[in-house]
Amino acid sequence: MSDKSLKQRKRPHSDEEEETSSKKRRDRSQGTVNGLDLQMIKKAPRLSPALFCDNCEIQHRQLHHLLKYAALGKKGKATQASWCSIHHQKYLRGAVVLVLQDLAQHHFYQFYLHFRSLRRLFRHRFSLTPPPSDFLASLLGLNDSDFPAQKKRMNGQHSAEGSTDQKYNFIATPKPTKSYDPILQRYGTKSHGLTRYLLTEEEMRKNNYPLVGLSNTENYVHTKCTERPTDSSPLFGLDCEMCLTCKGRELTRVSLVDAQGQCIMDELVKPINPIINYMTRFSGITRKMIHPVKTKLTNVQEKLKSLLPPDAILVGHSLDNDLHALQMIHPNVIDTALLFARSLGRKFRLKFLAQEILKREIQCDTAVGHNPSEDAVAALNLAQYFIQHGPEKVAEINLEDVFLNANKLHSRSDTSKASKIKQNGFLHPLPPEGPSFLEELENAGQKIAYVSREGLNDTVPSGQFESLLCTSDEEVLEKACSVIPLSPVSIVKFQMGSIFSKCHLDASERVSCKFAEMMTVFAGPFRSGVCLKNVKMHFESCGPLHSLSTTSDTCQPYVCIKYSVPEGAQLAVELLNGSCIDGCRIKVQRMITRRTADHEDIFKEMGEDPENKSTIYVSGFTKPLTEEFLQQQFSHLKEIKSIFVPTNPKNQRHAKYCYLRFHSPDGAAAAVHSIRAHGGLRSMKAITSSHLHRWLQAAVTCGSPHKPSNPESVPEGDCTEIIKDLDRKVHLLYESLRENTLCVILFPGNNSNSGSLPGFGLIGIKC
């Protein structure tokens, strides 16, 4: 369930509250609050991140979009990032990005107790997708398709013919020579069979396509089209439309056309979750259309699997969005947005390409919404045109010049299809297409301060940086503290060395196993033949169970209960210890091993995290939760701000527990007392941050809590000292920042042949 504010009931104020309220009114009349200028308080920049939900995984492009707006604002023609709004951006005094090289999300929780400063200083946290081959380039909105002429221009060697078209927010460049044309660089001058234009696995990974083995696609359905494609394999055009539900963007219509452009599937789909915006302007879907529909996502997935032959090739425009909406994985795709991409990987809208290449009008302004069948045919025909005429013919069209000289109506009146994306039920639209962060900084005459032990590589135009190379991380800290206050944008990179440089999937698994053990309790002793169904009923009231089994290596029967969230285990120990179940007075306890000795400290610290201080956990419901039920159930609570109901990863249904966020920690504490006093439901201060929730769902699948960990290649004590020192450096660097500076801490994650590990981010504005 998305964040939903509830109506507040008025309550009588105490004498103390009346006095405080009167003081605040007097202060406001004098233009001050606690002695501070009221106008300055009102205009202080702040963040409003939309991260209180099932999946807080952010793409690098979305992070780039946030940094672009932070540095340039509306004056630089940048727009707000949908996943995190910056209020009063013009009062920001700078933006700094700290990159903790070689660290991934699991490192934060492996050394959780040692990251004291990071946990205290930064309230907002998010997961980050595994990094592409060049993390810095992706952060700046660049990619490997940049052609040399553009890089040379951005390195300060401008052509006399180059200019900037501010009206269209698009950099005008001299027409490239044939050898430098980005399409010819990718595909050469000769025509090829269609298999030459299929995206490679690396390209699919880089462009956020759903792939087997990724953490955010574990519940996706494979099309089973596993036969190796050939140049005679059949093409199918695909396009989807989405609406906005309480869980984000969900599929409402899907169209599939064959190679002749004949529509073989056009289905309306009813989302699982309640619709809050039909997005009729774009989707064409109305309440009247969708109301009688019975087709579900699973029905569409099965139908697509039956229609597609084993060697089918799907064609679409920004097809990654459609596959995520379908929650399906398909290995063989042609993406026309990437096929026709120009310099700096710049993509054109489907409407523009259809008009200029096919001489066809689609997505007309007079029509209500897009026609997915029409869009699917257009994408299919664009791919067929490219295959038939070859890259040389397409390069001659020089779409960049055409775009700059096109009618102004084509500039910004339409919303890019790339802004319509659903990521595992969480709304994170991609930024509009346009110049990169680096291009806009160049236009504004600004440079980025870059402090690191390693220089910039060839994929990043060095002319836009003031680089300070160092010989140690201590020197990085020293130089960063002196240069950051003088620069509007800074990137500081700390390197951990060889200890963390490789992708250690076994280390990630050890951390997952540790959390699985933290979520495991043992109850007993019971009599022989204990009724597990009765035990389950009692322990399920504390939270969702992953498994429940009887131990065989104890004198008397004990039951091992493994929860899916830490709060479940904590409540079981607090509330069920000493209770009578099946005629037995039982003890409820955790196992104690070398790895689990600090569980209580971790639980306590997680509850005190700034992100969790005003959030509570509630369980004990007998049915999956709905929005209407929760509003009725909690309408008596005061100061409630929003509600988050997780989704069951197996069936995508709402869970039987939820998280409530309040305006203050006092409001949260009062709510816990009120819920417990009413009886029936269980409640406590939240331990699980929302970004951590999905990761923990996977953590409990690591196996038995008795599973021994593999011996570590490096003693953890050595790593601990490095982490403590790193936390100290981050603290000192943060203290050196000016007030109202945006600070982003990034654990880039890892992406190698041995596997992918997601990254992690913390964000805040220094007050």
Side-chain angles (χ1 to χ4, degrees), residues 508-514 516 546 562 698-704 707:
S508 177
E509 183 178 330
R510 283 196 298 274
V511 178
S512 296
C513 285
K514 181 173 182 176
H546 178 260
K562 181 182 286 189
V700 296
T701 64
C702 289
S704 166
K707 178 180 178 180

Side-chain angles (χ1 to χ4, degrees), residues 584-641:
C584 301
R585 185 71 61 180
I586 63 166
K587 295 183 294 183
V588 181
Q589 56 194 330
R590 291 194 180 92
M591 63 184 299
I592 300 296
T593 68
R594 178 180 59 86
R595 292 189 307 184
T596 64
D598 57 1
H599 282 182
E600 292 299 329
D601 290 338
I602 293 177
F603 276 158
K604 181 180 177 181
E605 291 293 323
M606 289 174 71
E608 294 302 320
D609 268 351
E611 194 174 25
N612 292 330
K613 274 188 175 180
S614 301
T615 305
I616 69 172
Y617 165 87
V618 186
S619 67
F621 301 97
T622 57
K623 297 180 180 180
L625 304 180
T626 64
E627 178 181 346
E628 294 77 16
F629 172 77
L630 288 173
Q631 288 195 30
Q632 181 182 4
Q633 183 77 24
F634 298 126
S635 59
H636 67 285
L637 298 179
K638 302 174 180 65
E639 291 193 23
I640 190 168
K641 183 179 180 182

Side-chain angles (χ1 to χ4, degrees), residues 510-616:
R510 283 196 298 274
V511 178
S512 296
C513 285
K514 181 173 182 176
F515 271 91
E517 290 173 344
M518 291 171 65
M519 296 185 286
T520 301
V521 298
F522 293 87
F526 290 96
R527 298 190 184 95
S528 298
V530 57
C531 178
L532 290 182
K533 185 175 181 180
N534 196 22
V535 176
K536 178 182 178 183
M537 181 185 68
H538 281 80
F539 281 87
E540 207 169 30
S541 66
C542 295
L545 301 183
H546 178 260
S547 65
L548 185 145
S549 60
T550 305
T551 61
S552 59
D553 50 359
T554 54
C555 180
Q556 294 176 285
Y558 275 76
V559 177
C560 173
I561 301 109
K562 181 182 286 189
Y563 284 92
S564 297
V565 292
E567 289 89 349
Q570 186 73 5
L571 280 174
V573 173
E574 290 180 7
L575 304 180
L576 297 182
N577 186 38
S579 60
C580 187
I581 300 177
D582 238 13
C584 301
R585 185 71 61 180
I586 63 166
K587 295 183 294 183
V588 181
Q589 56 194 330
R590 291 194 180 92
M591 63 184 299
I592 300 296
T593 68
R594 178 180 59 86
R595 292 189 307 184
T596 64
D598 57 1
H599 282 182
E600 292 299 329
D601 290 338
I602 293 177
F603 276 158
K604 181 180 177 181
E605 291 293 323
M606 289 174 71
E608 294 302 320
D609 268 351
E611 194 174 25
N612 292 330
K613 274 188 175 180
S614 301
T615 305
I616 69 172

